[in-house]
Amino acid sequence: MAIQWFPGHMAKARREVSEKMKYVDIVFELVDARLPLSSRNPMLDQIIQQKPRIVLLNKADLADPQQTKLWQEYFKKQGHAALAINAQKNKGVKGLIPTAKEVLKGKRARDAARGLKPRAIRAMVLGIPNVGKSTLMNRLVGKKIAQTGNKPGVTKGQQWLRHGTELELLDTPGILWPKFEDEEIGKKLALTGAIKDQLLHLDDLAIYGLDFFARYYPGRIQERYHLTEEQEQGLAPEILMDITAKRGFRDDYARGSELVVFEIRDGRLGRYTLDRCEEMGQVMNE
């Protein structure tokens, strides 16, 4: 399954981001805490280059807290500050400016030595669609300025937003890479809502999600859908059939699939992390 999705406004956004990178001091890179690696656009490293960055693991309230701590350590080993936040509930967001000041401490000291007056930190917010950029912007500026939505591609333009006298933010549209060669990454992104549902079959997505939960969080499916232990231990397609029947959908597996996918996204099956640190030992030890 090779997913291709690179709308024109995303190609334009990539060019604009590259052009405006020189105007910012630091990049706030938002990732989904449920998939900290899979929700990173590999093109961003090329765009950002050596610019300082803070990796923000957003939607941390939906992610496995133990996994989130491990991923924060991973990013720190890569030389990036990393914060776990929940922009929707404004948790962890207050730590962003102090962290940015710490990251830029050397640059600000050099500027002062050159006789430059201190000014607000200029930052760019980057991330793939639907990872929570607009929500973060609204939290930082204290009022609803950035447009928000629960589907990819809501933010279409670019705008500067000010947070008091300490921070100026450049909001940008989400940027997806042209093609997902890795089928696993495509499914992970789709399951969390980063890719439009029309690009995938929801039954395949539901089966992927059920298989994941049965493997890493045993008992969750059984508890949520009132299945037996034996049913939960069956193959994912059989579990989907059992859930569909249990909810009274008869043989409407499309409806059952939609239910499962949206309940996983909403955290109805509990907190989870799709990118597993224990399976990425080689990556973690880089």
Side-chain angles (χ1 to χ4, degrees):
M1 179 185 68
I3 304 172
Q4 298 188 51
W5 187 48
F6 206 4
H9 75 269
M10 288 190 176
K12 180 182 177 183
R14 181 184 174 184
R15 290 194 301 271
E16 290 178 349
V17 166
S18 298
E19 292 168 0
K20 295 190 177 182
M21 187 62 60
K22 59 186 176 183
Y23 299 120
V24 301
D25 306 309
I26 193 169
V27 170
F28 298 156
E29 181 187 359
L30 261 68
V31 299
D32 190 318
R34 295 168 294 179
L35 49 158
L37 280 190
S38 297
S39 60
R40 299 185 84 195
N41 186 331
M43 292 192 304
L44 288 190
D45 284 340
Q46 182 182 3
I47 295 172
I48 296 173
Q49 296 184 4
Q50 301 303 314
K51 190 75 67 173
R53 80 176 83 176
I54 300 174
V55 180
L56 301 175
L57 291 90
N58 194 27
K59 305 183 182 181
D61 57 311
L62 297 175
D64 183 330
Q66 292 180 324
Q67 291 285 321
T68 298
K69 288 180 181 178
L70 290 173
W71 282 116
Q72 283 182 274
E73 289 301 316
Y74 164 76
F75 288 121
K76 287 176 183 177
K77 288 179 181 178
Q78 302 302 305
H80 309 311
L83 296 176
I85 68 170
N86 176 354
Q88 188 69 42
K89 296 181 180 178
N90 206 21
K91 291 184 178 179
V93 177
K94 289 182 179 179
L96 185 51
I97 292 179
T99 302
K101 287 181 177 179
E102 181 64 28
V103 171
L104 294 171
K105 185 165 58 176
K107 179 184 183 301
R108 291 162 75 88
R110 289 191 298 272
D111 288 346
R114 292 166 54 197
L116 298 177
K117 293 182 179 180
R119 58 167 175 76
I121 294 172
R122 290 173 182 162
M124 181 181 290
V125 180
L126 293 176
I128 66 171
N130 208 32
V131 80
K133 296 182 304 300
S134 295
T135 302
L136 173 64
M137 308 291 282
N138 293 335
R139 290 299 181 190
L140 285 171
V141 300
K143 50 187 173 181
K144 192 170 183 179
I145 294 180
Q147 184 185 16
T148 61
N150 60 358
K151 58 184 179 180
V154 169
T155 308
K156 292 289 194 279
Q158 289 185 328
Q159 54 185 327
W160 284 94
L161 302 176
R162 178 176 285 275
H163 177 82
T165 59
E166 296 184 297
L167 183 66
E168 292 177 355
L169 296 167
L170 177 63
D171 186 21
T172 61
I175 309 174
L176 276 171
W177 47 108
K179 185 177 181 181
F180 305 111
E181 299 288 355
D182 190 324
E183 181 178 345
E184 188 84 359
I185 290 179
K187 287 181 177 179
K188 288 178 180 179
L189 290 168
L191 189 60
T192 55
I195 299 175
K196 293 179 179 178
D197 290 331
Q198 297 92 321
L199 296 176
L200 292 136
H201 297 292
L202 283 184
D203 55 344
D204 290 339
L205 213 50
I207 289 170
Y208 174 78
L210 290 170
D211 183 66
F212 171 83
F213 270 89
R215 180 178 179 184
Y216 294 102
Y217 301 100
R220 300 265 192 97
I221 297 172
Q222 180 184 348
E223 180 181 359
R224 177 63 188 171
Y225 299 109
H226 308 293
L227 303 181
T228 65
E229 184 177 348
E230 183 180 1
Q231 284 177 313
E232 187 188 47
Q233 292 175 351
L235 297 174
E238 295 173 350
I239 298 175
L240 179 59
M241 293 170 65
D242 290 333
I243 292 173
T244 300
K246 197 79 174 179
R247 287 299 175 95
F249 299 157
R250 295 183 179 274
D251 296 331
D252 191 350
Y253 301 120
R255 191 176 174 190
S257 298
E258 184 178 32
L259 170 77
V260 169
V261 169
F262 282 92
E263 291 206 334
I264 288 175
R265 285 180 187 168
D266 291 342
R268 300 292 180 87
L269 276 73
R271 299 170 71 168
Y272 63 95
T273 299
L274 294 169
D275 286 343
R276 310 297 297 180
C277 293
E278 64 269 22
E279 293 186 355
M280 300 183 179
Q282 187 174 9
V283 175
M284 298 295 290
N285 293 323
E286 288 179 351

